[in-house]
Structure formats: structure tokens, C-alpha cells
Amino acid sequence: MRSIALVNQKGGVGKTTTVANLGACLAQLGKKVLVVDLDPQANLTIHLGIKSNELEYSIYDLLLWKTKAEEVIIPAGVEGLNIIPANIDLSRAEIELVNMPSRETVLKDRLFLTFKKYDYSLIDCAPSLGLLTLNALTSVREIFIPIQTQFFALQGINRLSETIEIVRKKVNPLLKVTGVIPVMYDVRTNLSQEVLNRIKGYFKKEVFKTIIRENVRIAESPSFGLPITLYSPNSYGAEDYMKLAKEVISRE
Ligand SMILES: Nc1ncnc2c1ncn2[C@@H]1O[C@H](COP(=O)(O)OP(=O)(O)OP(=O)(O)O)[C@@H](O)[C@H]1O
Ligand SMILES: [Mg+2]
């Protein structure tokens, strides 16, 4: 059982894309996978072809103790892949949770038994270090950080490292950054290579050998509600995410 939060408070760096596609690839490789949408934008839910406005239950109901995990988990279009979906209700959760006892650990309290039933649980976080992300950091053992191989990539990373350190010291001593994923790599530019070198200088061995290249098929796939391996199985994007999944498994 591995529980992993995909975190980076910078927006648009490939968190959701990576949870959807890595999750699908792990499932296609025979793993039992749960992905959790912890972002009120519900991008992960939509990416995996689920209509977020037609949900009976969502992660919001789970967090506010309105229902059980078994009621919220639904299939996500790939054999072996399940999702806890989100919708716009989640934007209220941060406010409503404030008055709850143990508000930083409610996700953990609600899901730790569920995580045990899966080989991989991947949580897609919103681009913030607010209460929802804090809940993600409290409920997992591992963190993967997707980083764009572009100019501002490392800006804000110190802040993220500090937050992780605080959570580790105060509530979750086992928490660790176990993977940094270079994404949206542009093979035509020197800048991508330079930034990749800087990322490796900062994170050292945590950086995955697999690099996710920029690929228009990846950007297209959410509008078809499919992961890249189903939308365009022969694309670079599918190749890269499958390679990443194998590397993730090899680090078990
Ligand atoms: N390798 C890639 N090649 C091309 N486009 C990509 C790639 N990875 C992600 N994208 C596109 O970049 C945009 C941002 O990606 P994504 O939504 O995964 O980021 P995010 O970190 O989840 O954003 P947010 O912080 O808003 O939740 C999306 O339009 C996505 O389709
Ligand atoms: Mg996202």
C-alpha cells in the first residue's frame, strides 16, 4: 500500500494530468489504484470522464461526515482504477471544516482504512497550501512534486519544503518527498535542459529518471474524458507516463 499526494502550490504544473495518467498506467500494469480529487476545480474528476455536476456523493460529503467512503468511490473508466470525485461543493469545505475538531486530519480519519485496500492511492491537490492540502499531507506517507521544466519552476519550492517539514514534525513523522517529476519538457529548448539540471541540483536523487515531454495529445485528452493511454495510446505522452509508472513501481 502506497499513499501519495501530488503537491505543488504553483498552478498549472501538471498535478492533475499526472494523477490521471499515472493512475491509469499503474492500473493498466495490474495495480489496484484509487485517485482522490481534492481540488474544488474538479479537474481530475472531469479528466476521467465523470460529470461532476451529476454526482450523488463527492469528497465534500466524505470530509463533512455526511457519508461513508464506500458510497463515494466510483469506477474511473480503466479496469482497476477508482476515484473519489469532487465538485464545486468542495470550495465550501475549507470554511466549514474550520470549526471541526481535528480539522487537519479529517481526510486521514476518513480514508486510512480505504487506502489499505489499494496498491496505490494518489491525491490530486489544489494549487494552494490551505487546509485541504494540509489534509492531504497528513493522510499520506509520500509526496510527489511535479515541476515544469520552465523558467519559474523552482520559485516557491522553499515554501513548499518548509510546509512539508512542519507537517512532518507536528503530525506525520513518516511523510517524505519520494518523487519529483519533471513535466512539460520541451526537447527543442536549452532552457528545459538547464531547468532540469537545476531541479536535479535541488532535489538530487528524488528526481525521477523519466521525464514527461510536452505533448499536445496530453493537453487534448481531458476534453475527451480519457487518460492519455486510452485517448492516444501511441503518443509520446502515453509512452512517458507508462515509463513513469514502471519507474514508480520499481521504487516500491
Ligand atoms: N506534458 C504535457 N504536455 C502538454 N500539456 C500538458 C502536459 N501536462 C499538462 N499539460 C496541460 O497543462 C495544463 C495544466 O495541467 P494540470 O491541469 O495538470 O496542472 P495542475 O497543476 O493540476 O493545475 P492546477 O494547479 O490548476 O490544479 C493543462 O491544460 C494540461 O492539459
Ligand atoms: Mg489540478
Side-chain angles (χ1 to χ4, degrees), residues 41-216:
Q41 298 179 100
N43 290 346
L44 177 66
T45 303
I46 297 160
H47 193 328
L48 290 172
I50 294 151
K51 295 196 170 63
S52 71
N53 52 348
E54 292 174 11
L55 294 171
E56 191 177 359
Y57 295 112
S58 71
I59 183 84
Y60 169 84
D61 302 293
L62 189 70
L63 286 169
L64 275 290
W65 290 85
K66 293 177 197 288
T67 189
K68 301 187 291 219
E70 300 82 81
E71 309 261 30
V72 188
I73 297 171
I74 53 174
V78 177
E79 203 189 325
L81 182 68
N82 286 314
I83 182 171
I84 298 185
N87 60 23
I88 191 68
D89 288 349
L90 187 59
S91 58
R92 302 204 306 267
E94 209 137 358
I95 299 164
E96 293 176 21
L97 283 172
V98 164
N99 295 319
M100 235 193 219
S102 9
R103 61 190 177 188
E104 300 89 4
T105 57
V106 56
L107 188 71
K108 179 189 175 185
D109 297 340
R110 305 284 6 241
L111 284 182
F112 79 97
L113 288 175
T114 302
F115 285 172
K116 288 186 179 173
K117 297 179 192 159
Y118 289 86
D119 299 316
Y120 285 89
S121 299
L122 305 174
I123 305 182
D124 182 26
C125 293
S128 100
L129 295 174
L131 189 51
L132 290 174
T133 300
L134 203 57
N135 264 278
L137 296 180
T138 307
S139 57
V140 296
R141 289 275 181 90
E142 301 180 51
I143 296 167
F144 284 179
I145 305 175
I147 301 192
Q148 265 179 303
T149 48
Q150 286 168 19
F151 182 65
F152 289 111
L154 285 165
Q155 196 194 44
I157 287 295
N158 281 334
R159 176 89 203 289
L160 176 58
S161 301
E162 279 162 27
T163 305
I164 294 168
E165 196 49 31
I166 292 169
V167 174
R168 209 167 64 76
K169 281 199 180 124
K170 297 208 161 157
V171 265
N172 188 2
L174 298 170
L175 185 66
K176 215 168 163 242
V177 176
T178 53
V180 172
I181 309 165
V183 300
M184 300 187 217
Y185 188 86
D186 184 347
V187 290
R188 296 161 305 181
T189 67
N190 293 331
L191 180 65
S192 270
Q193 183 58 50
E194 272 171 40
V195 175
L196 180 60
N197 290 339
R198 278 199 277 140
I199 294 170
K200 285 180 178 163
Y202 188 93
F203 285 103
K204 314 272 182 326
K205 66 178 181 3
E206 278 77 39
V207 182
F208 280 105
K209 290 197 179 68
T210 306
I211 291 158
I212 308 297
R213 288 167 285 184
E214 204 166 79
N215 179 223
V216 67

